[in-house]
Amino acid sequence: MTTLVLLRHGETLLTPGRRLSGSGGSNPGLSPAGRRQAQATADALAHRGDIEAVVTSPMRRCQETARPVAERLGLSVQLDEDLREADFGAWEGLTFAEVRDRYPDDLTAWLASPEAPPTGAGETMQQLTRRTAAVRDGLLTRYAGATVLLVSHVVPIRTLIRLALQAPPHTLFRMEVAPASLSTLTYDETGTATLQTLNDTHHLI
């Protein structure tokens, strides 16, 4: 079995307000609460003891989450550009309620089709799915039989889970992935995936 442990970055100042924070926005770092979450996660994963590599989105909030984990594990942090969050275009920094108020037709189209971009030439879910799947395939080849920690964002993590479950695109909006939560996928030698855990936040209590 190859195991991918999916860690969402800790909180930023935008997280409590549920504001869209993608790869086209301000690239915020962790808030004080987020830094505490990163340390608690590092403690939990050090206790787990089986992680052999740490791969992260290059965005600041993910690197700041990955760094204390890697330090506790004695591992280096590998950056992968394709683990970055979606580009939400003109929606960056807005809540869904604000997007619905300002761009109702574009939001409706985006929710209905993975081929529809956010307003302002943002990234489609189809484009994000393609790059996220490529990361997964590369890691399964490079780390066959190992356990790898991926530090990423809401949409890429939900996408990896959706693909593992062979679920339709709209299910992306039907799962919770909280800040600093852990989800776990295993893959057998044929590439068949099993979701072992989803949105585990027990280490943050």
Side-chain angles (χ1 to χ4, degrees):
M1 286 287 184
T2 304
T3 301
L4 300 183
V5 180
L6 312 177
L7 168 60
R8 183 187 170 190
H9 62 79
E11 283 190 14
T12 73
L13 293 178
L14 294 177
T15 307
R18 301 184 72 86
R19 294 191 172 275
L20 292 168
S21 181
S23 57
S26 60
N27 195 21
L30 296 180
S31 66
R35 288 193 289 274
R36 290 192 296 271
Q37 291 171 337
Q39 191 57 59
T41 306
D43 294 342
L45 292 175
H47 180 73
R48 174 180 172 128
D50 62 345
I51 292 171
E52 299 179 40
V54 177
V55 184
T56 182
S57 158
M59 302 194 75
R60 183 180 167 196
R61 55 197 182 271
C62 284
Q63 290 199 57
E64 291 179 358
T65 302
R67 196 173 301 124
V69 176
E71 288 174 355
R72 285 292 305 274
L73 298 176
L75 298 171
S76 62
V77 175
Q78 304 174 46
L79 304 185
D80 194 313
E81 182 70 23
D82 286 335
L83 285 175
R84 70 190 183 278
E85 182 59 288
D87 183 344
F88 294 113
W91 303 350
E92 294 279 353
L94 303 179
T95 65
F96 267 102
E98 290 168 339
V99 173
R100 189 173 292 109
D101 182 58
R102 300 181 195 185
Y103 309 104
D105 293 342
D106 290 351
L107 179 61
T108 297
W110 184 75
L111 291 172
S113 171
E115 298 178 14
T119 310
E123 185 176 24
T124 68
M125 290 298 100
Q126 186 177 65
Q127 291 169 324
L128 182 140
T129 299
R130 189 158 43 243
R131 65 173 165 86
T132 304
V135 173
R136 175 204 62 196
D137 293 346
L139 291 174
L140 292 180
T141 298
R142 193 181 323 144
Y143 294 105
T147 298
V148 181
L149 178 69
L150 272 65
V151 186
S152 190
H153 309 263
V154 168
V155 181
I157 289 174
R158 287 178 177 177
T159 298
L160 286 168
I161 294 168
R162 179 184 73 77
L163 292 174
L165 297 174
Q166 299 183 339
H170 71 267
T171 58
L172 199 72
F173 308 103
R174 299 292 186 269
M175 64 182 83
E176 177 67 17
V177 178
S181 65
L182 293 164
S183 300
T184 307
L185 297 169
T186 56
Y187 299 81
D188 67 16
E189 64 278 1
T190 70
T192 300
T194 301
L195 177 63
Q196 301 287 348
T197 61
L198 173 65
N199 194 41
D200 183 4
T201 57
H202 287 91
H203 56 289
L204 303 177
I205 297 174

